[in-house]
Amino acid sequence: MEPDFSEGLERLRERGLLRELRTVINDNCGEIEFAGNRFVNFASNDYLGLSQHPAVAEAAREAIARYGIGAGASRLITGTHPPHRLLEEKLAAYKNAEASLVFSTGYAAALGIIPALVGAGDIVITDKLAHACLIDGIRLSGAVIRVFPHNHLGKLESHLRWARQHLSSSGRILIVTESVFSMDGDCAPLRSIIQLKNSFGALLLLDEAHATGLVGPGGRGLATALGLDEQIEVRMGTLSKALGVAGGFVVGSRQLISWLINRARSFIYSTAPPPLLCAAAAAALDVVLSEEGEALRATLAARIARLDDGLPNRFQRKNGAGAIFPLILGSEMAALDAASEAREQGLFIPPVRYPTVPKGQARLRATLTSLHSEQHLDRLIQWAQKIDERLARTSTKDSA
Ligand SMILES: *Cc1c(COP(=O)(O)O)cnc(C)c1O
């Protein structure tokens, strides 16, 4: 019998939650084309424009010439090729770690790492806003899960205390959080989290997906910027955002990496990432660490500062560290209206709604890249001011 999804799809449509794919043309200038129109692209994680960088593309072409396209087998069989090792050496050095391991995606990394670290009898404590792949990894592990409100140290501490009381002597406590949060663009109070972790004898998994390549000297991430590398047991990230390629990675001690090679199922039972992607990611890391990379980060920092200065008060972000701006509108309808108004002005800023964010916090999520011009930013600021004025008018009407 054919499964019937029509009712489910109709329900999504009625609630304004039906999502569909759009095919875009991206010529690497901060703008995209789709449906016959051109938009400033405020919805890309290609923060430094490396996805179309000539040196990155050239490294991929050279790797194709030498290694072809597919890896041919999983890493543990015959799928480990020189570009895999080269990239892992570079990543370990980049993140001041003993060793590293590459996965096909960041998502696969989380799904592999977390169940290798904890299982039934262990406890995972995580931030409410942790990325879906972290949540899925935790669920898959079978550990007991405790969630604390976003960046709430008091609640984290009480969960840690509870965990200490309820854990068997051989059990583990793992804290899972992000450094720069993907939806709110703010950063975790890392120093305090580490203090708590140490005093309760827990482990920490830090996801630097939105900080790697961007934050701190050389874009090494928040942990390195704060000098905390050695205090964090497991750090992961993605090759698909600021590095502009595809893949996930983890860095840590040699022992941790050996354990993951033996226990991370998404690593063991999946064909190795194509060598050409590892070669491209290694080249992207070289760019990130070069003077050119420094200049790209400086351009992006200037764009970020321009937006931080120009946004009306209601849209000012708190504790922002990366290039993500949550423009919080409140209701789903307000967010959808603001998004369509942006589109009319040639700005593409995707709305983010429940359940990705809590009810009443519907927003547009703008990400900046080094490809944006000052004019792009000024158009965004003008749109934000218009929305702000309208919201101010309606709220005075409401209170009158
Ligand atoms: C994007 C993202 C991932 C997943 O990385 P992919 O390489 O895209 O699979 C993991 N964690 C966070 C916080 C992310 O934002």
Side-chain angles (χ1 to χ4, degrees):
M1 200 179 77
E2 280 283 312
D4 182 8
F5 301 112
S6 57
E7 223 173 274
L9 286 167
E10 194 43 49
R11 222 171 303 130
L12 287 174
R13 196 189 307 278
E14 279 164 10
R15 289 153 64 208
L17 294 176
L18 186 69
R19 313 192 60 178
E20 286 167 304
L21 299 175
R22 67 176 66 79
T23 303
V24 308
I25 310 293
N26 176 5
D27 45 15
N28 216 35
C29 60
E31 300 183 4
I32 44 171
E33 267 176 47
F34 62 86
N37 290 305
R38 207 165 169 83
F39 300 92
V40 186
N41 183 9
F42 290 112
S44 170
N45 300 316
D46 185 12
Y47 291 119
L48 302 176
L50 298 189
S51 76
Q52 299 193 26
H53 190 284
V56 177
E58 183 52 31
R61 272 192 294 273
E62 275 173 24
I64 291 174
R66 290 184 64 178
Y67 308 105
I69 308 293
S74 70
R75 288 287 302 277
L76 280 168
I77 308 302
T78 56
T80 298
H81 302 273
H84 295 97
R85 300 312 291 268
L86 172 75
L87 176 59
E88 285 168 349
E89 276 162 29
K90 278 186 192 276
L91 282 168
Y94 181 58
K95 293 280 190 175
N96 298 319
E98 281 180 12
S100 96
L101 193 65
V102 166
F103 292 73
S104 293
T105 63
Y107 192 103
L111 246 53
I113 296 164
I114 298 172
L117 298 175
V118 289
D122 298 320
I123 297 172
V124 180
I125 306 175
T126 186
D127 191 287
K128 178 93 172 77
L129 294 189
H131 190 268
C133 69
L134 300 169
I135 305 296
D136 292 354
I138 297 168
R139 286 194 183 137
L140 192 59
S141 77
V144 169
I145 176 165
R146 284 286 177 276
V147 177
F148 58 92
H150 182 47
N151 281 343
H152 194 306
L153 291 167
K155 264 287 167 12
L156 168 60
E157 179 167 6
S158 61
H159 284 324
L160 282 164
R161 187 163 293 118
W162 176 89
R164 263 295 147 233
Q165 283 159 3
H166 290 81
L167 198 69
S168 71
S169 56
S170 61
R172 270 190 193 142
I173 306 172
L174 175 68
I175 302 170
V176 173
T177 192
E178 294 173 34
S179 61
V180 173
F181 279 85
S182 61
M183 283 303 143
D184 282 39
D186 56 349
C187 49
L190 209 46
R191 254 185 246 287
S192 307
I193 289 175
I194 288 173
Q195 268 167 12
L196 285 171
K197 165 188 87 80
N198 290 340
S199 59
F200 286 92
L203 305 172
L204 176 60
L205 165 61
L206 183 68
D207 185 347
E208 296 242 44
H210 289 280
T212 298
L214 286 191
V215 174
R220 288 181 167 80
L222 188 66
T224 311
L226 298 175
L228 299 170
D229 293 333
E230 278 157 29
Q231 304 216 42
I232 303 172
E233 290 76 13
V234 192
R235 287 178 283 151
M236 63 169 277
T238 176
L239 307 168
S240 49
K241 289 177 178 147
L243 291 169
V245 186
F249 69 89
V250 58
V251 301
S253 69
R254 240 173 238 116
Q255 213 189 43
L256 170 76
I257 300 307
S258 301
W259 181 251
L260 293 176
I261 289 172
N262 284 277
R263 279 291 178 274
R265 294 171 64 87
S266 63
F267 175 86
I268 299 170
Y269 297 106
S270 186
T271 299
L276 74 106
L277 293 183
C278 294
L285 256 189
D286 289 343
V287 175
V288 158
L289 283 168
S290 69
E291 264 174 43
E292 184 191 355
E294 205 61 60
L296 290 170
R297 274 190 297 280
T299 301
L300 178 54
R303 301 295 176 265
I304 290 171
R306 195 176 186 91
L307 190 55
D308 270 328
D309 284 348
L311 278 178
N313 267 337
R314 85 168 67 234
F315 293 131
Q316 287 285 328
R317 55 185 195 158
K318 293 173 206 79
N319 197 20
I324 300 165
F325 286 76
L327 307 169
I328 298 181
L329 274 307
S331 75
E332 322 266 285
M333 281 322 288
L336 290 178
D337 286 349
S340 60
E341 202 164 317
R343 283 235 221 156
E344 283 159 21
Q345 322 265 331
L347 309 172
F348 183 64
I349 324 169
V352 185
R353 285 160 286 170
Y354 178 82
T356 309
V357 295
K359 285 215 170 97
Q361 287 192 37
R363 65 194 62 187
L364 304 196
R365 177 181 180 274
T367 52
L368 305 194
T369 72
S370 60
L371 299 171
H372 288 127
S373 66
E374 293 185 345
Q375 289 72 28
H376 288 150
L377 270 295
D378 291 344
R379 287 169 63 187
L380 179 60
I381 291 167
Q382 277 165 18
W383 163 84
Q385 283 167 344
K386 230 186 273 167
I387 301 283
D388 176 59
E389 280 160 24
R390 201 182 55 221
L391 291 172
R393 273 200 307 275
T394 42
S395 71
T396 39
K397 235 189 293 165
D398 289 348
S399 55

